[in-house]
Short mmCIF file of all heavy atoms in Angstrom, two decimals:
data_model
loop_
_atom_site.label_atom_id
_atom_site.label_comp_id
_atom_site.label_asym_id
_atom_site.label_seq_id
_atom_site.Cartn_x
_atom_site.Cartn_y
_atom_site.Cartn_z
N LEU T 1 -3.15 9.38 -20.79
CA LEU T 1 -2.13 9.82 -19.84
C LEU T 1 -2.10 8.85 -18.68
O LEU T 1 -3.13 8.59 -18.06
CB LEU T 1 -2.43 11.24 -19.31
CG LEU T 1 -2.43 12.37 -20.35
CD1 LEU T 1 -2.59 13.73 -19.62
CD2 LEU T 1 -1.18 12.39 -21.19
N ALA T 2 -0.92 8.32 -18.41
CA ALA T 2 -0.79 7.30 -17.34
C ALA T 2 0.66 7.25 -16.86
O ALA T 2 1.56 7.73 -17.51
CB ALA T 2 -1.22 5.92 -17.87
N MET T 3 0.81 6.65 -15.67
CA MET T 3 2.15 6.48 -15.12
C MET T 3 2.80 5.17 -15.58
O MET T 3 4.00 4.95 -15.43
CB MET T 3 2.12 6.49 -13.58
CG MET T 3 1.72 7.85 -13.00
SD MET T 3 2.84 9.17 -13.45
CE MET T 3 4.32 8.64 -12.61
N GLU T 4 1.95 4.28 -16.14
CA GLU T 4 2.41 2.96 -16.65
C GLU T 4 2.91 2.04 -15.54
O GLU T 4 3.78 1.19 -15.73
CB GLU T 4 3.47 3.14 -17.75
CG GLU T 4 2.94 3.99 -18.91
CD GLU T 4 3.94 4.13 -20.07
OE1 GLU T 4 5.12 3.83 -19.87
OE2 GLU T 4 3.50 4.54 -21.15
N GLU T 5 2.37 2.24 -14.34
CA GLU T 5 2.61 1.33 -13.19
C GLU T 5 1.27 1.09 -12.52
O GLU T 5 0.44 1.98 -12.46
CB GLU T 5 3.58 1.95 -12.18
CG GLU T 5 4.98 2.23 -12.71
CD GLU T 5 5.86 2.86 -11.66
OE1 GLU T 5 5.53 2.76 -10.45
OE2 GLU T 5 6.86 3.50 -12.03
N THR T 6 1.10 -0.10 -11.97
CA THR T 6 -0.17 -0.38 -11.29
C THR T 6 0.05 -0.97 -9.92
O THR T 6 1.02 -1.72 -9.68
CB THR T 6 -1.04 -1.36 -12.16
OG1 THR T 6 -2.35 -1.42 -11.58
CG2 THR T 6 -0.44 -2.74 -12.21
N TYR T 7 -0.81 -0.53 -8.97
CA TYR T 7 -0.71 -0.98 -7.57
C TYR T 7 -2.11 -1.29 -7.08
O TYR T 7 -3.08 -0.68 -7.52
CB TYR T 7 -0.09 0.10 -6.67
CG TYR T 7 1.34 0.45 -7.04
CD1 TYR T 7 1.63 1.48 -7.90
CD2 TYR T 7 2.41 -0.28 -6.50
CE1 TYR T 7 2.93 1.80 -8.26
CE2 TYR T 7 3.73 0.03 -6.83
CZ TYR T 7 3.97 1.07 -7.71
OH TYR T 7 5.27 1.38 -8.04
N SER T 8 -2.19 -2.23 -6.15
CA SER T 8 -3.49 -2.56 -5.56
C SER T 8 -3.84 -1.64 -4.43
O SER T 8 -2.96 -0.95 -3.87
CB SER T 8 -3.47 -4.03 -5.04
OG SER T 8 -2.57 -4.12 -3.93
N ILE T 9 -5.14 -1.61 -4.06
CA ILE T 9 -5.58 -0.85 -2.90
C ILE T 9 -4.80 -1.33 -1.66
O ILE T 9 -4.39 -0.55 -0.82
CB ILE T 9 -7.08 -1.03 -2.66
CG1 ILE T 9 -7.89 -0.59 -3.90
CG2 ILE T 9 -7.53 -0.27 -1.41
CD1 ILE T 9 -7.88 0.89 -4.18
N ARG T 10 -4.60 -2.64 -1.60
CA ARG T 10 -3.86 -3.25 -0.49
C ARG T 10 -2.45 -2.63 -0.37
O ARG T 10 -2.01 -2.25 0.71
CB ARG T 10 -3.75 -4.75 -0.72
CG ARG T 10 -3.12 -5.54 0.39
CD ARG T 10 -2.88 -6.96 -0.07
NE ARG T 10 -4.10 -7.59 -0.59
CZ ARG T 10 -5.01 -8.17 0.20
NH1 ARG T 10 -4.85 -8.19 1.50
NH2 ARG T 10 -6.11 -8.71 -0.31
N GLU T 11 -1.76 -2.49 -1.52
CA GLU T 11 -0.42 -1.91 -1.52
C GLU T 11 -0.48 -0.43 -1.13
O GLU T 11 0.42 0.09 -0.45
CB GLU T 11 0.22 -2.08 -2.89
CG GLU T 11 0.61 -3.51 -3.20
CD GLU T 11 1.09 -3.66 -4.63
OE1 GLU T 11 0.29 -3.52 -5.55
OE2 GLU T 11 2.29 -3.92 -4.82
N PHE T 12 -1.50 0.28 -1.61
CA PHE T 12 -1.65 1.69 -1.25
C PHE T 12 -1.79 1.84 0.26
O PHE T 12 -1.16 2.71 0.87
CB PHE T 12 -2.88 2.27 -1.97
CG PHE T 12 -2.93 3.78 -1.94
CD1 PHE T 12 -2.64 4.51 -3.11
CD2 PHE T 12 -3.27 4.49 -0.80
CE1 PHE T 12 -2.71 5.90 -3.10
CE2 PHE T 12 -3.32 5.86 -0.79
CZ PHE T 12 -3.02 6.56 -1.92
N VAL T 13 -2.60 0.97 0.88
CA VAL T 13 -2.77 0.99 2.34
C VAL T 13 -1.44 0.76 3.02
O VAL T 13 -1.07 1.46 3.97
CB VAL T 13 -3.79 -0.10 2.76
CG1 VAL T 13 -3.79 -0.30 4.27
CG2 VAL T 13 -5.20 0.30 2.29
N GLU T 14 -0.71 -0.26 2.57
CA GLU T 14 0.57 -0.60 3.20
C GLU T 14 1.57 0.56 3.11
O GLU T 14 2.25 0.88 4.09
CB GLU T 14 1.15 -1.85 2.55
CG GLU T 14 0.34 -3.11 2.82
CD GLU T 14 0.75 -4.30 1.95
OE1 GLU T 14 1.57 -4.12 1.03
OE2 GLU T 14 0.24 -5.41 2.22
N LYS T 15 1.66 1.20 1.91
CA LYS T 15 2.59 2.30 1.77
C LYS T 15 2.19 3.52 2.61
O LYS T 15 3.04 4.22 3.16
CB LYS T 15 2.64 2.69 0.27
CG LYS T 15 3.39 1.70 -0.59
CD LYS T 15 3.33 2.07 -2.06
CE LYS T 15 4.05 1.05 -2.93
NZ LYS T 15 5.53 1.05 -2.72
N ALA T 16 0.87 3.75 2.71
CA ALA T 16 0.41 4.89 3.51
C ALA T 16 0.74 4.69 5.02
O ALA T 16 1.24 5.61 5.67
CB ALA T 16 -1.10 5.09 3.33
N PHE T 17 0.47 3.49 5.53
CA PHE T 17 0.76 3.21 6.93
C PHE T 17 2.27 3.18 7.21
O PHE T 17 2.71 3.54 8.30
CB PHE T 17 0.11 1.92 7.38
CG PHE T 17 -1.31 2.08 7.83
CD1 PHE T 17 -2.36 1.82 6.97
CD2 PHE T 17 -1.59 2.53 9.10
CE1 PHE T 17 -3.69 1.97 7.38
CE2 PHE T 17 -2.91 2.72 9.54
CZ PHE T 17 -3.97 2.42 8.66
N ALA T 18 3.05 2.80 6.22
CA ALA T 18 4.50 2.78 6.39
C ALA T 18 5.04 4.20 6.68
O ALA T 18 6.07 4.34 7.34
CB ALA T 18 5.17 2.21 5.15
N LYS T 19 4.33 5.22 6.19
CA LYS T 19 4.72 6.60 6.41
C LYS T 19 4.69 6.96 7.90
O LYS T 19 5.36 7.91 8.35
CB LYS T 19 3.84 7.57 5.64
CG LYS T 19 4.03 7.52 4.14
CD LYS T 19 5.36 8.13 3.73
CE LYS T 19 5.53 8.16 2.24
NZ LYS T 19 6.84 8.71 1.83
N ILE T 20 3.89 6.23 8.69
CA ILE T 20 3.85 6.51 10.15
C ILE T 20 4.41 5.29 10.91
O ILE T 20 4.05 5.03 12.05
CB ILE T 20 2.45 6.89 10.62
CG1 ILE T 20 1.42 5.78 10.36
CG2 ILE T 20 1.96 8.17 10.00
CD1 ILE T 20 0.09 5.98 11.07
N ASN T 21 5.26 4.53 10.18
CA ASN T 21 5.98 3.42 10.79
C ASN T 21 5.10 2.33 11.36
O ASN T 21 5.36 1.71 12.39
CB ASN T 21 6.92 3.94 11.91
CG ASN T 21 7.95 4.91 11.37
OD1 ASN T 21 8.56 4.67 10.35
ND2 ASN T 21 8.11 6.04 12.08
N ILE T 22 3.99 2.07 10.65
CA ILE T 22 3.09 0.95 10.99
C ILE T 22 3.15 -0.05 9.85
O ILE T 22 2.91 0.31 8.69
CB ILE T 22 1.66 1.40 11.25
CG1 ILE T 22 1.57 2.21 12.55
CG2 ILE T 22 0.72 0.17 11.33
CD1 ILE T 22 0.19 2.75 12.85
N THR T 23 3.48 -1.30 10.18
CA THR T 23 3.44 -2.37 9.20
C THR T 23 2.10 -3.11 9.33
O THR T 23 1.71 -3.53 10.40
CB THR T 23 4.59 -3.38 9.41
OG1 THR T 23 5.84 -2.67 9.31
CG2 THR T 23 4.55 -4.49 8.39
N ILE T 24 1.40 -3.21 8.18
CA ILE T 24 0.08 -3.85 8.22
C ILE T 24 0.23 -5.36 7.98
O ILE T 24 0.91 -5.79 7.05
CB ILE T 24 -0.85 -3.24 7.14
CG1 ILE T 24 -1.15 -1.78 7.44
CG2 ILE T 24 -2.16 -4.03 7.05
CD1 ILE T 24 -1.87 -1.53 8.75
N GLU T 25 -0.40 -6.13 8.86
CA GLU T 25 -0.40 -7.60 8.74
C GLU T 25 -1.84 -8.02 8.39
O GLU T 25 -2.79 -7.61 9.06
CB GLU T 25 -0.01 -8.20 10.08
CG GLU T 25 -0.08 -9.68 10.16
CD GLU T 25 0.22 -10.19 11.58
OE1 GLU T 25 1.10 -9.64 12.23
OE2 GLU T 25 -0.51 -11.11 12.03
N TRP T 26 -1.98 -8.79 7.31
CA TRP T 26 -3.32 -9.19 6.84
C TRP T 26 -3.68 -10.56 7.36
O TRP T 26 -2.87 -11.47 7.34
CB TRP T 26 -3.34 -9.17 5.31
CG TRP T 26 -3.01 -7.83 4.72
CD1 TRP T 26 -1.82 -7.44 4.19
CD2 TRP T 26 -3.89 -6.69 4.63
NE1 TRP T 26 -1.87 -6.17 3.74
CE2 TRP T 26 -3.14 -5.66 3.99
CE3 TRP T 26 -5.21 -6.43 4.97
CZ2 TRP T 26 -3.67 -4.41 3.74
CZ3 TRP T 26 -5.74 -5.20 4.72
CH2 TRP T 26 -5.00 -4.20 4.10
N GLN T 27 -4.93 -10.70 7.79
CA GLN T 27 -5.47 -11.98 8.25
C GLN T 27 -6.86 -12.19 7.68
O GLN T 27 -7.60 -11.22 7.49
CB GLN T 27 -5.53 -12.04 9.77
CG GLN T 27 -4.16 -12.05 10.47
CD GLN T 27 -4.29 -12.18 11.98
OE1 GLN T 27 -5.38 -12.30 12.52
NE2 GLN T 27 -3.13 -12.16 12.66
N GLY T 28 -7.22 -13.47 7.45
CA GLY T 28 -8.55 -13.77 6.92
C GLY T 28 -8.59 -13.66 5.41
O GLY T 28 -7.60 -13.35 4.75
#
């Protein structure tokens, strides 16, 4: 059983913060 789509932890973080109108910028 699967959704047949894959996302990174990085993308999960970005989508979660977008819910409170914060855009994450990565450095390093």
Side-chain angles (χ1 to χ4, degrees):
L1 296 186
M3 293 300 294
E4 303 184 344
E5 296 179 21
T6 190
Y7 297 93
S8 66
I9 302 291
R10 185 189 305 277
E11 289 173 292
F12 194 105
V13 168
E14 292 169 353
K15 288 177 181 290
F17 273 99
K19 290 289 183 182
I20 60 168
N21 299 315
I22 291 179
T23 300
I24 296 297
E25 175 187 320
W26 301 101
Q27 293 183 2

